[in-house]
Amino acid sequence: MRTRPLKVALLGCGVVGSEVARIMTTHADDLAARIGAPVELAGVAVRRPSKVRAGIDPALVTTDATALVKRGDIDVVVEVIGGIEPARTLITTAFEHGASVVSANKALLAQDGAALHATAEEHGRDLYYEAAVAGAIPLIRPLRESLAGDKVNRVLGIVNGTTNFILDKMDSTGAGYQEALDEATALGYAEADPTADVEGFDAAAKAAILAGIAFHTRVRLDDVYRDGMTEVTSADFASAKEMGCTIKLLAICERAADGASVTARVHPAMIPLSHPLASVRGAYNAVFVESDAAGQLMFYGPGAGGAPTASAVLGDLVAVCRNRLSGARGPGDSAYARLPVSPMGEVVTRYHINLDVADKPGVLAQVATVFAEHGVSIDTVRQQSRQDGVGEASLVVVTHRASDASLVGTVEALRNLDTVRGVASIMRVEGE
């Protein structure tokens, strides 16, 4: 074993960073044995240096992150500060001064992953980011390495624990959205401002990363269709149960049937209770991968939290340090396929549409005619008089597979019917 330690700079010492530092200290002997050399925490960049950080030598703490990554003797920079800047500049600077990088920064990788990979390649350094998607779940490396010889066709997953907790609570207890969100906030699953989670921004960044790796093509955050879950109601769950389904906020990355394009999207969807993702409860994450040779694979586990995310960071740290010792590099950016990303209008799936209509003869025929005129085939129809309104009914239509564009045209035409009072909800049906 080499006795001279590999030096690690830690950028950020919050929930995840503090756990990374703790594990590096408490598992130092095991890490050294696995790597083939000791690893030494050489500096910790923070915003508030006066804060007491248990187990970290105050002499290592600095507010000058730039000076830390420019030192020249740093072997690996671990970036867990998040956001676009200054993380992007610090990572680029680290590469320029000879360090490899381990990051958990999903937003930055979804936006500028190609440029960061190019800089890493230029300077002969590694960029690893297992912790950027689904916390402790090994997912990036299986897609980049274990399935490198296979053809991945679809990645379907629950990649945000906050939203899954909220939807699971609505499903299991009948709670409304706000009630379930309040409980998630009280338990620490939701931030004071939950927008990034409940509006799907967090999951969209992860979908961009997954799609890029799975399909060997460039997918940016702007390429991902995003629809949040704030409009999901207890009535939607009641309808889902009648269909033998539940509702999840899904990240869906698909290769077109002809293989000529890909799509990436995040939105609430009904999935059959028989699908493995339907049983993912609480704040857990799970990702379902479909490929030609391996078939169907599922990855499941805690998708957030200090210790689980730190576990993924340390796994990357071990891999990068091993590469450093051997003079090798890990897999870089693979975007040779250069497949176009199709717009949401071209996505084909099933739909569940709940209409408020007049309760009188001929309404169903009018509605069916509109669907037929727009080329949308109906699978099932259910109509029920509403107790809260005389002469009004609820009409639920479930379609066969149709494009998003054709469904949008259908709904616009339905709104123009005198007998349609309103569109109560529209939900995609996935996982079949």
Side-chain angles (χ1 to χ4, degrees):
M1 178 186 291
R2 193 179 88 165
T3 57
R4 183 170 64 83
L6 292 161
K7 294 189 176 183
V8 178
L10 178 61
L11 308 183
C13 198
V15 173
V16 176
S18 60
E19 280 296 309
V20 170
R22 181 188 67 81
I23 295 172
M24 284 184 64
T25 301
T26 58
H27 295 180
D29 291 342
D30 285 338
L31 290 173
R34 294 165 191 169
I35 293 169
V39 287
E40 173 189 317
L41 189 59
V44 182
V46 299
R47 286 184 297 177
R48 295 184 294 274
S50 60
K51 181 180 178 180
V52 176
R53 294 172 172 84
I56 296 178
D57 183 352
L60 297 178
V61 176
T62 178
T63 58
D64 194 343
T66 301
L68 179 59
V69 300
K70 282 184 173 181
R71 273 177 37 174
D73 65 335
I74 300 297
D75 294 289
V76 185
V77 170
V78 174
E79 182 273 309
V80 289
I81 56 178
I84 305 302
E85 288 291 358
R88 174 170 49 197
T89 299
L90 290 170
I91 290 174
T92 300
T93 303
F95 290 140
E96 293 170 348
H97 286 77
S100 291
V101 173
V102 172
S103 176
N105 196 330
K106 53 187 173 287
L108 178 58
L109 288 159
Q111 178 172 306
D112 290 318
L116 293 176
H117 273 293
T119 305
E121 177 77 23
E122 177 186 353
H123 295 280
R125 296 300 175 226
D126 279 329
L127 173 61
Y128 276 54
Y129 43 91
E130 184 68 65
V133 180
I137 304 173
L139 184 60
I140 301 297
R141 197 168 299 154
L143 284 173
R144 285 212 299 186
E145 301 179 30
S146 303
L147 295 174
D150 205 344
K151 179 184 178 184
V152 176
N153 296 308
R154 195 176 197 220
V155 180
L156 175 76
I158 299 165
V159 294
N160 183 280
T162 299
T163 55
N164 198 59
F165 177 89
I166 293 170
L167 292 173
D168 182 38
K169 186 61 61 174
M170 293 175 69
D171 185 24
S172 61
T173 69
Y177 167 76
Q178 189 60 51
E179 182 183 353
L181 173 60
D182 290 344
E183 182 172 350
T185 304
L187 292 172
Y189 292 129
E191 301 287 346
D193 179 2
T195 302
D197 294 324
V198 299
E199 294 293 354
F201 290 101
D202 175 84
K206 296 169 181 176
I209 295 170
L210 291 175
I213 297 171
F215 307 133
H216 303 279
T217 202
R218 293 272 161 74
V219 180
R220 288 171 51 89
L221 181 58
D222 292 344
D223 296 321
V224 181
Y225 171 85
R226 177 193 56 79
D227 187 15
M229 49 161 277
T230 58
E231 301 301 319
V232 176
T233 67
S234 54
D236 292 326
F237 274 101
S239 293
K241 287 181 179 179
E242 290 180 0
M243 291 178 59
C245 294
T246 188
I247 298 172
K248 299 291 186 181
L249 185 75
L250 298 178
I252 305 170
C253 311
E254 290 181 306
R255 188 189 300 269
D258 61 4
S261 64
V262 299
T263 59
R265 50 199 165 100
V266 169
H267 54 71
M270 294 182 180
I271 58 172
L273 294 175
S274 58
H275 194 282
L277 290 179
S279 62
V280 178
R281 319 294 294 190
Y284 276 74
N285 284 192
V287 177
F288 199 72
V289 177
E290 300 174 13
S291 68
D292 276 1
Q296 297 179 334
L297 306 169
M298 183 163 161
F299 302 83
Y300 169 85
T309 305
S311 171
V313 170
L314 267 294
D316 279 352
L317 179 63
V318 168
V320 169
C321 286
R322 286 172 174 169
N323 291 344
R324 192 83 170 185
L325 287 178
S326 66
R329 290 187 62 232
D333 191 22
S334 176
Y336 72 89
R338 297 183 179 88
L339 297 173
V341 182
S342 297
M344 188 62 188
E346 297 180 14
V347 170
V348 176
T349 188
R350 297 179 67 205
Y351 291 87
H352 175 283
I353 304 103
N354 191 343
L355 303 172
D356 294 326
V357 300
D359 190 6
K360 62 181 184 181
V363 173
L364 179 57
Q366 288 182 336
V367 169
T369 297
V370 170
F371 276 88
E373 289 174 346
H374 288 80
V376 179
S377 176
I378 294 176
D379 182 18
T380 62
V381 177
R382 185 178 72 255
Q383 183 172 339
Q384 182 175 357
S385 297
R386 290 178 51 181
Q387 298 179 354
D388 58 345
V390 177
E392 295 185 356
S394 175
L395 181 64
V396 175
V397 178
V398 180
T399 74
H400 289 290
R401 290 176 64 83
S403 71
D404 188 79
S406 64
L407 197 282
V408 169
T410 303
V411 172
E412 289 178 353
L414 288 171
R415 294 183 193 277
N416 292 326
L417 292 178
D418 292 339
T419 52
V420 175
R421 310 296 193 224
V423 180
S425 67
I426 302 172
M427 187 85 58
R428 295 172 180 87
V429 183
E430 302 284 350
E432 296 182 308

